[in-house]
Amino acid sequence: MLTAPSQLVLRNIDRLAAGSLLLLNPPADGLARELMARGDLQLQLFSQDQAEANALKAQRLPVEFGAVPAESRRYDSAVLFHPKEKALADFLLFLARARLADGGTLW
């Protein structure tokens, strides 16, 4: 079953432009599979939660686990799953902005 944030993303899927998409700290609830089925998105997942990263890897999804993304690739869009901790949220916003291409969209 999809979490509430994942349902929100899917309800607004038409707003996601085709191209490269980075999901930051996504839940392992099936959202990534739904987005991959769309076909026009090149999806990359990044998680700071090892349990979530392992669950995503078990689904054979392209996920990276760590404190910061290792690759310096730029993305057309990024979806940030906002944490409860303010300091972590600020850090993830910084990471997301650093990984967006010029004119990219942060959700």
Side-chain angles (χ1 to χ4, degrees):
M1 182 166 169
L2 294 177
T3 62
S6 293
Q7 291 176 22
L8 181 64
V9 170
L10 286 182
R11 276 196 304 267
N12 293 286
I13 195 169
D14 58 318
R15 293 175 161 234
L16 289 174
S20 57
L21 174 65
L22 174 63
L23 298 182
L24 291 155
N25 284 344
D29 63 357
L31 172 66
R33 284 261 175 241
E34 294 277 344
L35 293 174
M36 288 182 78
R38 186 172 138 171
D40 62 350
L41 294 172
Q42 295 83 49
L43 196 61
Q44 178 64 39
L45 292 79
F46 172 75
S47 182
Q48 294 176 316
D49 182 311
Q50 189 170 20
E52 291 287 336
N54 289 340
L56 292 163
K57 282 182 186 177
Q59 298 174 38
R60 291 186 167 70
L61 294 168
V63 63
E64 178 184 353
F65 167 73
V68 296
E71 66 177 67
S72 59
R73 179 178 171 198
R74 301 289 195 151
Y75 297 89
D76 299 320
S77 300
V79 176
L80 170 62
F81 289 83
H82 204 279
K84 293 178 183 176
E85 301 87 6
K86 183 179 179 347
L88 180 57
D90 290 343
F91 179 69
L92 288 173
L93 283 169
F94 174 79
L95 284 178
R97 284 191 303 258
R99 296 295 184 256
L100 281 176
D102 292 340
T105 304
L106 175 60
W107 299 93

